[in-house]
Amino acid sequence: MRSQRLIHILPEQIASQIAAGEVVERPASAVKELIENSLDAGARSVSVEVEAGGRALIAVADDGAGMGREDAILSLRRHATSKIRDAADLSAIRTLGFRGEALASIASVSRLVLRTRLAADPQGIELLAEGGEIGATRECALAPGTRIEVRELFFNTPARLKFLKTVATEQGAIAETVQRLALANHAVAFRLCADGRVIYDLPRAGSLLERFRQLFGERLAAAMLPFEGARDGVRVAGLAAQSQHSFPTARMLLGFVNRRAVRDRILMRAVTQAYQTLVPRGRYPAVALFVELRPELVDVNVHPMKSEVRFRNSGAVFEICHGALRDRLADQRADDADEVAAALPSGRLAMAAVTHPEFTLAPVAERANPAGALPVAEANGHREPRLLRLVPDARETPRPQQPPLGLGFGAQAHRGAPECAAGIPDYSKLKIIGQLFAGYIVLEGPDGLMLVDQHAAHERITFERLRAELGAGGVRVQALLTPATLELNPARVVMVEASLAELGAIGFELEAFGPATLLLKGAPAVFGAESGLRLLTDMVESLGEPGLRARGETAFEEWLKQLACHGSIRVGRHLDFPEIAALLAELDRTEFKTNCPHGRPVHIQFGRGQLERMFRRS
Ligand SMILES: Nc1ncnc2c1ncn2[C@@H]1O[C@H](COP(=O)(O)OP(=O)(O)O)[C@@H](O)[C@H]1O
Ligand SMILES: [Mg+2]
C-alpha cells in the first residue's frame, strides 16, 4: 500500500528559521541575545559594533569565560545550552538565557562568525556558519572571551527584511537595548559603535546612579531620587525622577525584574499610580525600577524574547513598588531644591533646562478688546489676533513678559468667524457655566448643555495657526534671549539628527553642540520663546516612526499635530472665566473648530429634551 503520509518533521535548519521569527524580530533583538550571553559568561566588558542599523553587521565582543571547541560547535545548535539541565532548573532560573535558542536562531538567518577562547587554552577557535549551516572551523589568535559577528541579518528571509524600519530607527532600538542592559549591569563596561561612531563608551560604574548619569546625562541624573523597599522576600530599589520632570511618552519608565529588562504592566501601573497627581495627565516620569525576588516567585519563560514575566504574587509586587515610590516621592521636597541647584553646573540656564514648567493660559489682550471683536491692526502691519498665549507659570518667570510677537497669519485661518453652518455652534456666544474636572468647559446654549474639551479646542487653534504660518512662508521663529542646551538621550541622537530639517521647518532653530547636545536658538513664536525648550524636549521624546516615515506635506501635518498637541493647554489646568472666554473667542475664529487635529470632537452636547427625559419631565 502506498504511503498516505502528509506529515513530516521539518529539517533542523527550517525549524530554526521559524524559531528565529520569534526570537529575532529585528536587529535589536539579536543584539540583546548576544549581550545577554556575554553577561551570562561573566563578562566585565562588552563591546558592540553595528553597521546600517544592524542589517549589515552586528558584532559583540566580550571578555567572558569563552568556550572550548566542542562547546562552540554545539552552541549553534538548537536547544543547546549550558544554563539548565532539567525541568526542575526551569523553575529557578538565575541566568539571562536558558532556552538554548538564540545562537541557533541568529545563525539560521545570517552569515555568522564565532570566535571564542577559554582562558586556559593557548588559542581560540573560529567557526563560520551560513544560514545555520556550520562551515569551516579553524584555530585563531584571540584574547580569552568571545566575539560573534553577524552579517547580513535576514539575508535568507526576505519577508523579515521587508519589515525592517529605517536605519535610524533600527539603530535607535539597538541603542535602547544597550541602554537597558547597561543600566541593569552597572559594574560592566559597555561600548556601542554605530557606523564607526561611538554612541556609548561607558566605563565600569560604582553605582546605579553613576551609570544613569553616564547614560542620560548630568541634568536628569541630578533630579533622580534613590528609593528602596523590601517585604515578603521581594526587594525593590531604583531611581525616581523628581516630579517636576515629566515626559510625553513612557519611554523613560525602565522596569527590571531580577536584572532582566521587562515590559510589565504591574510595574508600569505601580509607577504611574505613584506619580498620579504629581505629573500632568498624559505625561510620564522617568523611573528605573529594579525588582529582585527569588527566581521561584517569577516565571520568566512566558515570552520567546523573555521581555515579559509572570509573578506568582503580582499584588504583593505592585504594593511594594508602589509603596516604595510613594514614600520617596512624598518627601522629595526635603532634599530637592537646594541639592539640585547645588548639583547643577551653571545657574539659570541649567535650571531652565531641568525644570519643565507648567504653562498657564493667560489672556493677553485687554478686556477692552471684547471677545469676538476683530483683531486690531498693529503699526507694523501685522495683525495681532491672539487673545491667548501660553506663558510659563509666574513662579518660573520672575521677569516681565515680553509682548507677544505679531504673527504673519495666512489669510485663511483667522478671518472673522465664517458664518456658521447649521449645527456648528458659536462657542463664544454661549453662557459660561464653569469648568468640569479641570478639563472641560461647561456651557449653556439654546439647545442644551455643552461640554468643550479644552485641550482639543486649544490644539485645533494652535494647529491652524501653525498651518497658516507654514502656508505663508514658514513657522515664525522667536529667538531665545539665551540659547538653551538640550542634552539628547544618546540612544536617540541619530533619530533626532535625521529629523533636524523637519524640526527646523516647524520653528526650532537648532545647532549641533557636541556629540549628544543641541543648542536651541529659536523656537516657534506662537508659543513664546520661554516654552521652546520644554516643547523641543517633548517633540524629541515623542519622535517616532510615523513622523519619520511620512514624507512631504503629510509629514509636516504630522509634525504640526504633534507640536500643537504638546504646546496646548492640558486637561488638569484650571481656567478662570476670562481665560475661558478668550479661548472660546479664539476658537470661533478658527477653521475646523469642531474637531481637534486628530479628529476627536471639541464638544459634546446634551439636548434639553434629553435631560428632561432623564428627569422624567416630558
Ligand atoms: N558570549 C558567550 N560566551 C560564552 N559562552 C557563550 C556565549 N554565547 C553563547 N555561549 C554558550 O552557548 C550556549 C547557547 O547560547 P544561546 O543559544 O544564547 O542559549 P542560552 O543563552 O539560552 O543558553 C550558551 O548556553 C552558552 O553556553
Ligand atoms: Mg542566550
Side-chain angles (χ1 to χ4, degrees):
M1 214 171 84
R2 218 162 55 82
S3 164
Q4 292 291 303
R5 216 160 53 103
L6 296 173
I7 299 178
H8 52 113
I9 305 287
L10 290 171
E12 172 76 16
Q13 218 181 319
I14 300 182
S16 285
Q17 273 192 21
I18 292 170
E22 295 182 338
V23 182
V24 194
E25 184 192 38
R26 61 197 299 188
S29 19
V31 170
K32 169 181 172 287
E33 295 294 341
L34 294 173
I35 298 179
E36 287 188 349
N37 280 343
S38 297
L39 293 168
D40 280 344
R44 306 239 302 142
S45 165
V46 179
S47 167
V48 183
E49 226 178 291
V50 298
E51 280 169 21
R55 263 170 86 149
L57 171 75
I58 297 169
V60 175
D62 67 53
D63 58 355
M67 289 177 269
R69 184 192 162 81
E70 278 168 52
D71 276 352
I73 294 171
L74 261 184
S75 74
L76 296 184
R77 299 270 308 271
R78 219 146 55 96
H79 309 306
T81 180
S82 57
K83 297 168 195 176
I84 57 171
R85 287 206 167 270
D86 49 36
D89 290 345
L90 251 191
S91 58
I93 288 162
R94 288 166 202 282
T95 46
L96 292 165
F98 57 87
R99 297 168 62 103
E101 275 187 325
L103 278 189
S105 296
I106 296 169
S108 74
V109 291
S110 70
R111 305 183 212 278
L112 183 142
V113 183
L114 166 68
R115 293 195 191 88
T116 186
R117 181 189 146 192
L118 296 168
D121 287 352
Q123 293 264 34
I125 164 140
E126 178 184 275
L127 227 135
L128 307 183
E130 209 170 294
E133 200 86 65
I134 299 182
T137 67
R138 62 182 181 91
E139 297 208 316
C140 67
L142 187 79
T146 303
R147 178 183 165 89
I148 296 178
E149 283 175 20
V150 178
R151 285 183 197 275
E152 289 175 75
L153 190 65
F154 301 135
F155 80 96
N156 53 355
T157 51
R160 270 281 134 180
L161 208 51
K162 250 187 260 158
F163 277 101
L164 289 188
K165 307 208 165 118
T166 59
V167 167
T169 302
E170 295 301 341
Q171 188 182 312
I174 290 170
E176 277 187 8
T177 300
V178 174
Q179 195 172 69
R180 279 165 176 67
L181 286 158
L183 199 59
N185 298 277
H186 66 252
V188 176
F190 281 87
R191 191 179 157 85
L192 170 64
C193 290
D195 299 314
R197 168 174 172 171
V198 180
I199 308 280
Y200 289 123
D201 191 2
L202 317 170
R204 289 179 195 117
S207 69
L208 173 63
L209 184 60
E210 190 183 333
R211 177 51 56 86
F212 190 94
R213 186 178 299 118
Q214 293 172 346
L215 284 169
F216 298 105
E218 191 63 51
R219 283 174 186 162
L220 189 54
M224 300 305 286
L225 307 165
F227 66 90
E228 56 185 345
R231 193 154 43 104
D232 305 333
V234 181
R235 206 181 91 81
V236 305
L239 300 170
Q242 286 167 345
S243 52
Q244 77 268 28
H245 287 261
S246 65
F247 297 83
T249 69
R251 192 174 280 120
M252 287 301 291
L253 299 190
L254 308 161
F256 301 86
V257 174
N258 289 348
R259 305 263 153 164
R260 190 189 295 282
V262 293
R263 274 180 278 123
D264 183 77
R265 272 186 299 131
I266 313 270
L267 302 191
M268 292 304 124
R269 198 146 47 79
V271 172
T272 43
Q273 284 193 17
Y275 276 89
Q276 217 166 40
T277 74
L278 292 176
V279 295
R281 212 179 301 176
R283 297 188 60 88
Y284 302 85
V287 174
L289 171 60
F290 289 84
V291 177
E292 308 277 338
L293 69 182
R294 287 212 316 280
E296 301 82 72
L297 298 180
V298 56
D299 188 357
V300 291
N301 191 22
V302 293
H303 189 271
M305 287 189 267
K306 298 166 289 183
S307 54
E308 284 168 27
V309 295
R310 202 170 292 142
F311 295 110
R312 208 36 106 64
N313 186 350
S314 54
V317 171
F318 174 86
E319 288 300 328
I320 296 164
C321 294
H322 181 259
L325 279 163
R326 243 1 250 190
D327 288 351
R328 189 62 191 86
L329 293 171
D331 66 359
Q332 54 173 316
R333 258 160 209 264
D335 57 349
D336 63 6
D338 299 340
E339 230 171 70
V340 174
L344 284 169
S346 63
R348 241 198 99 255
L349 182 60
M351 224 34 215
V354 286
T355 53
H356 299 301
E358 276 311 298
F359 293 83
T360 23
L361 190 60
V364 165
E366 271 36 75
R367 299 282 138 76
N369 187 2
L374 274 180
V376 215
E378 284 187 334
N380 61 6
H382 284 309
R383 293 197 299 170
E384 175 41 63
R386 290 194 307 164
L387 293 173
L388 293 165
R389 62 191 206 109
L390 291 168
V391 295
D393 262 354
R395 68 191 145 88
E396 301 289 348
T397 37
R399 68 205 151 90
Q401 270 142 33
Q402 301 179 339
L405 291 186
L407 300 168
F409 285 121
Q412 73 275 38
H414 282 276
R415 245 178 248 138
E419 272 316 311
C420 288
I424 299 184
D426 277 333
Y427 296 104
S428 56
K429 295 205 177 117
L430 307 182
K431 181 174 157 197
I432 300 169
I433 309 292
Q435 199 191 19
L436 184 66
F437 309 139
Y440 305 95
I441 295 162
V442 187
L443 301 172
E444 181 194 329
D447 304 324
L449 172 77
M450 185 180 284
L451 298 178
V452 170
D453 179 326
Q454 66 193 39
H455 178 70
H458 199 226
E459 213 178 345
R460 171 58 76 184
I461 294 171
T462 318
F463 178 72
E464 292 302 334
R465 266 185 202 162
L466 289 166
R467 186 153 70 170
E469 286 184 27
L470 202 61
V475 170
R476 288 179 52 95
V477 177
Q478 187 179 346
L480 266 66
L481 289 179
T482 347
T485 54
L486 175 74
E487 277 181 23
L488 295 172
N489 180 338
R492 309 197 27 94
V493 166
V494 183
M495 211 180 269
V496 175
E497 283 182 352
S499 310
L500 281 184
E502 283 88 350
L503 287 170
I506 59 170
F508 292 102
E509 271 184 3
L510 290 163
E511 246 172 46
F513 190 70
T517 309
L518 293 176
L519 201 60
L520 177 67
K521 304 187 118 178
V526 76
F527 304 109
E530 304 93 338
S531 42
L533 189 65
R534 185 198 64 114
L535 266 172
L536 179 63
T537 311
D538 284 3
M539 290 295 290
V540 161
E541 278 297 318
S542 54
L543 274 188
E545 268 304 298
L548 292 168
R549 241 192 340 234
R551 290 272 169 271
E553 231 170 89
T554 23
F556 279 114
E557 295 250 314
E558 274 311 311
W559 285 95
L560 288 189
K561 275 184 206 170
Q562 289 235 19
L563 187 57
C565 179
H566 291 307
S568 296
I569 48 163
R570 307 204 155 261
V571 170
R573 171 78 37 78
H574 284 279
L575 301 178
D576 57 25
F577 274 47
E579 287 172 332
I580 291 174
L583 177 67
L584 296 178
E586 187 71 10
L587 184 58
D588 276 337
R589 283 195 295 276
T590 301
E591 284 192 323
F592 309 109
K593 64 181 181 178
T594 52
N595 293 82
C596 83
H598 306 97
R600 286 188 296 274
V602 159
H603 76 261
I604 54 171
Q605 193 160 334
F606 298 88
R608 184 177 187 142
Q610 193 183 351
L611 291 172
E612 284 177 344
R613 275 194 302 283
M614 290 165 87
F615 285 112
R616 315 246 185 279
R617 273 180 168 273
S618 55

